[in-house]
Amino acid sequence: MKGKIDALRDRAETRLRKKRPAKPADEPQRVLHELQVHQVELEMQNAELLETRDRLEVLLEQYTDLYDFAPVGYFTLTTEGVINRVNLTGARLVGIERARLTGSAFAPLLATGMRPKFKAFLQQVFASQPKQSGELTLLHRIVSIEAQRSPDGRECRAMIKDITNRKQAEDAVRASEIRYRRLFEAAHDGVLILDPVTRKITDANPFMTRLLDYPHDQLVGKELFEIGLLEDEAASQEMFRKLKRQHEVRYEDLPLESKTGRHQEVEVVANLYQENGHAVIQCNIRDITERKKAEWVRRRLDVLTASNRKLEEEIVRRQAVEKALRQSEKQQGELLTQSRAMQEQLRQLSRQVLQAQEGERKRISRELHDVIAQTLTGINIRLGTLKQSAGLNVKDFGRKITRTQRLVEKSVHIVHRFARELRPAVLDDLGLIPALHAYLKGFMADTGIRVSLQAFAGIERADSTLRTVLYRVAQEALTNVERHAHATRVAVSIAQLPQGLCMKITDDGRAFDVERALKGGKRLGLLGMRERLEMVGGSFSLTSTPGKGTTIEARLPLPKVRVKKIPSTLQ
């Protein structure tokens, strides 16, 4: 301390000499000089004190921050356990404001059972100077406590740390270890624990010792091939290499012989995992001997069940055959009756077809006799007249030739009409749509019934037979309209469908009973249309509603053709 004062005086004198040069001093001057030196010393001391105070305030603030916001709670306790000071962390730890804690006893903060333990701990802290430590349970937390008495022995400083989460984790680990051990001991599968480095068994559960007939101490320290689980050392090394690559190896249907010579089959699953930072191999061995026997029995049972099922099926089949044979006699009689009825229907239909053919022949014969023959006779008479009067009157001769030509044209027209009715050449030469146009124009000219046609051009790609069927259906339908419907308008349309095509013929004429017409067999035109369509795999439907007329639908199979509809100009 004296050295520090001397240094301070030297510094003051040096500073004073810099301000005023030294002079020979008499006594008053010497005293004045001393006073000036003391004044400088005081100023310097005051400056140092101010600087020290500032440093102390900064340090105090830092200490306060460290003290209040430390991660652990700090308590200053008296010998009776009264709290003199506590930081903010400690107050938050116990859940009470710091102002309320100061001056109160620490013991009430503890669980009831902990208070005697704390009292003994506090006595031990004040009885010796070394730091004491322990664990306490607060009302809702578990804490560790470290305490040391002050040098004067009147109080102690205690550091309290919340270890609730750690204790809970430790308890969970202990519980997990207990459960694992119980499972390990009580498992109904064999469990072996091995060291990956030495490949030796370090632990085995009781089931494994019973499975192999080895005592526990004889299993520990052996490799897998030494207890008969693998063939040899090479197989053991190969398994460990696979474990290092894949962390799991599975073996099925491994033969295993116990120490006493008992043969059995096992399933082995080996896993490599980390336990407390160390690699561990766990092998689970399951005895599948009984399961294999059960599988063999089940397979035999399945074979026997299949045989029984086949036998039952054969019995049922034979019973069904016998029943069918018994029913066949009855069915034969019914079929015979149906066959006779169908034969009678066929004979009636044949008679009707023959009558229709004969009627058509009569009509054609009458037309030929009444129209063509008379026309040709008239032509012959006119030609004879022309021969006689060829040289008499030239002007009259030309007029007669003109009349004769008209008769010839009329005959040609009638012949063409007969040809169209029998088989129109335009159907083969130009196609279905032109043939329908030509027929419908003649139909409108002869009957006065207005007809519209709408068709898609792709119909011309259809087979000739299909086009002929559609033409005949349209022809027969319009013939029925002319004879029976008393209609004024008819619409004919041919449309493409997803699986074929559909021709619709709709009139606005009189309706009729469709079911009676088809069942009676008198409408040969309708039956003929149905037969024609069914011959080429098509279908026929007919609807007739009073006030709405009649619609005929003819459906035929046809490949999809993406062609735009061509509206007809025929009206």
Side-chain angles (χ1 to χ4, degrees):
M1 186 68 182
K2 183 179 179 181
K4 186 175 181 180
I5 294 174
D6 292 340
L8 184 62
R9 182 176 181 83
D10 292 339
R11 287 165 53 198
E13 289 179 349
T14 301
R15 183 178 296 181
L16 187 62
R17 281 196 300 271
K18 287 181 180 179
K19 292 181 179 180
R20 289 194 301 270
K23 295 181 180 179
D26 50 13
E27 186 64 21
Q29 290 292 331
R30 185 183 63 77
V31 173
L32 180 61
H33 178 71
E34 288 294 329
L35 291 174
Q36 290 175 341
V37 170
H38 285 300
Q39 182 181 356
V40 172
E41 286 180 354
L42 290 174
E43 290 175 356
M44 294 176 66
Q45 287 179 357
N46 186 48
E48 288 182 358
L49 287 173
L50 291 174
E51 183 180 356
T52 302
R53 186 196 64 185
D54 294 338
R55 285 200 304 269
L56 288 175
E57 288 179 352
V58 172
L59 291 175
L60 179 61
E61 184 178 355
Q62 292 176 350
Y63 169 78
T64 302
D65 289 342
L66 291 174
Y67 178 77
D68 280 336
F69 301 106
V72 295
Y74 290 112
F75 290 80
T76 302
L77 306 175
T78 66
T79 55
E80 290 79 16
V82 176
I83 302 172
N84 280 342
R85 290 183 298 279
V86 60
N87 66 345
L88 292 177
T89 304
R92 285 196 299 269
L93 184 63
V94 297
I96 300 175
E97 295 179 0
R98 180 160 60 176
R100 292 172 55 194
L101 281 175
T102 304
S104 62
F106 185 83
L109 303 176
L110 299 170
T112 305
M114 287 284 108
R115 293 172 186 176
K117 181 179 178 180
F118 173 71
K119 184 176 180 180
F121 174 79
L122 198 61
Q123 290 175 353
Q124 188 177 1
V125 169
F126 282 102
S128 60
Q129 183 62 34
K131 185 183 297 184
Q132 304 295 323
S133 61
E135 292 183 2
L136 297 173
T137 303
L138 300 179
L139 295 178
H140 302 290
R141 313 296 294 177
I142 302 173
V143 296
S144 65
I145 182 170
E146 291 184 0
Q148 187 176 19
R149 74 180 185 185
S150 61
D152 58 10
R154 288 184 295 182
E155 60 183 15
C156 70
R157 288 183 292 274
M159 181 184 71
I160 297 178
K161 183 177 181 181
D162 186 358
I163 59 171
T164 305
N165 294 335
R166 190 190 76 188
K167 294 296 290 184
Q168 290 175 349
E170 291 175 353
D171 293 342
V173 170
R174 281 195 297 271
S176 177
E177 290 176 350
I178 292 171
R179 286 195 299 268
Y180 170 77
R181 197 65 197 179
R182 288 175 180 171
L183 291 173
F184 183 80
E185 298 290 342
H188 294 288
D189 290 336
V191 181
L192 294 175
I193 307 299
L194 294 90
D195 186 344
V197 178
T198 63
R199 302 196 300 271
K200 294 185 182 298
I201 299 171
T202 59
D203 199 0
N205 70 336
F207 187 90
M208 196 67 206
T209 60
R210 293 193 299 270
L211 188 66
L212 291 172
D213 295 329
Y214 273 98
H216 183 274
D217 56 350
Q218 291 186 15
L219 279 177
V220 174
K222 292 185 180 294
E223 295 193 38
L224 294 180
F225 72 92
E226 293 179 322
I227 60 174
L229 196 57
L230 295 174
E231 293 180 0
D232 49 27
E233 187 175 3
S236 178
Q237 292 176 354
E238 177 63 22
M239 187 197 82
F240 277 83
R241 283 195 293 269
K242 285 184 179 179
L243 273 173
K244 289 182 180 179
R245 294 195 307 269
Q246 304 172 5
H247 297 282
E248 181 179 343
V249 177
R250 182 182 295 271
Y251 295 96
E252 298 180 357
D253 299 343
L254 280 181
L256 180 65
E257 183 177 355
S258 69
K259 186 178 181 181
T260 58
R262 185 177 69 255
H263 293 277
Q264 50 210 342
E265 292 185 52
V266 296
E267 181 182 76
V268 180
V269 178
N271 290 278
L272 176 63
Y273 60 91
Q274 296 290 324
E275 184 180 84
N276 297 328
H278 300 286
V280 175
I281 295 175
Q282 178 175 319
C283 292
N284 295 340
I285 296 93
R286 176 168 295 178
D287 185 1
I288 61 172
T289 307
E290 295 301 324
R291 190 182 76 187
K292 300 293 286 186
K293 290 180 181 179
E295 289 177 355
W296 180 85
V297 172
R298 187 170 61 253
R299 286 195 297 270
R300 292 294 301 164
L301 184 60
D302 290 343
V303 171
L304 293 175
T305 303
S307 299
N308 291 336
R309 188 181 300 111
K310 288 182 180 179
L311 183 59
E312 291 173 357
E313 290 174 355
E314 181 65 20
I315 293 173
V316 172
R317 188 186 66 81
R318 292 189 179 185
Q319 291 175 347
V321 169
E322 291 176 359
K323 184 178 179 180
L325 289 175
R326 287 193 299 269
Q327 292 178 349
S328 64
E329 297 178 359
K330 181 180 178 181
Q331 290 176 352
Q332 285 176 1
E334 295 175 354
L335 290 174
L336 182 60
T337 303
Q338 292 177 2
S339 176
R340 288 173 181 171
M342 292 177 67
Q343 287 178 356
E344 182 62 28
Q345 291 178 0
L346 182 60
R347 281 195 294 270
Q348 292 179 1
L349 184 60
S350 298
R351 284 196 297 269
Q352 292 176 357
V353 170
L354 290 174
Q355 291 174 0
Q357 289 177 349
E358 190 61 32
E360 188 67 18
R361 288 192 182 101
K362 286 181 181 180
R363 187 183 67 81
I364 295 173
S365 175
R366 190 181 304 111
E367 291 285 342
L368 290 174
H369 180 270
D370 295 344
V371 180
I372 299 298
Q374 290 180 8
T375 304
L376 292 176
T377 301
I379 292 171
N380 190 30
I381 293 172
R382 288 185 180 279
L383 289 175
T385 304
L386 289 173
K387 183 178 179 181
Q388 293 176 2
S389 60
L392 298 177
N393 190 344
V394 177
K395 184 181 289 186
D396 188 52
F397 179 75
R399 189 167 52 253
K400 291 180 179 179
I401 288 177
T402 302
R403 292 176 182 173
T404 304
Q405 287 175 338
R406 289 175 182 170
L407 289 175
V408 173
E409 290 175 357
K410 182 179 179 181
S411 301
V412 171
H413 175 72
I414 293 172
V415 171
H416 284 171
R417 182 165 59 84
F418 279 123
R420 284 197 303 272
E421 291 178 355
L422 295 174
R423 175 73 180 185
V426 68
L427 179 63
D428 299 319
D429 297 338
L430 300 179
L432 175 62
I433 297 175
L436 288 175
H437 270 288
Y439 176 74
L440 296 179
K441 283 183 180 180
F443 178 83
M444 288 191 293
D446 294 338
T447 63
I449 301 173
R450 300 186 64 79
V451 185
S452 64
L453 172 65
Q454 188 175 23
F456 77 104
I459 187 62
E460 302 298 354
R461 300 185 185 181
D463 184 76
S464 174
T465 303
L466 299 181
R467 288 182 288 157
T468 301
V469 169
L470 290 178
Y471 181 83
R472 291 303 183 194
V473 170
Q475 188 180 34
E476 187 62 40
L478 289 170
T479 300
N480 288 341
V481 170
E482 178 186 359
R483 292 176 180 175
H484 310 292
H486 300 287
T488 59
R489 296 186 65 86
V490 180
V492 180
S493 65
I494 303 175
Q496 185 179 12
L497 298 177
Q499 301 298 329
L501 57 89
C502 174
M503 182 174 72
K504 284 187 180 181
I505 303 169
T506 304
D507 65 70
D508 60 353
R510 293 189 308 183
F512 62 94
D513 190 339
V514 175
E515 187 175 355
R516 180 184 299 177
L518 292 175
K519 283 186 177 180
K522 296 181 180 180
R523 293 291 184 92
L524 292 180
L526 299 178
L527 297 175
M529 285 189 279
R530 172 182 285 176
E531 290 296 328
R532 285 180 184 275
L533 289 167
E534 290 179 353
M535 285 173 57
V536 293
S539 62
F540 172 83
S541 64
L542 177 64
T543 57
S544 186
T545 306
K548 295 184 179 180
T550 302
T551 299
I552 292 174
E553 282 194 16
R555 295 177 181 266
L556 288 174
L558 183 69
K560 292 182 180 179
V561 181
R562 294 186 175 272
V563 182
K564 294 182 178 179
K565 289 185 177 180
I566 302 177
S568 172
T569 58
L570 180 62
Q571 295 292 338

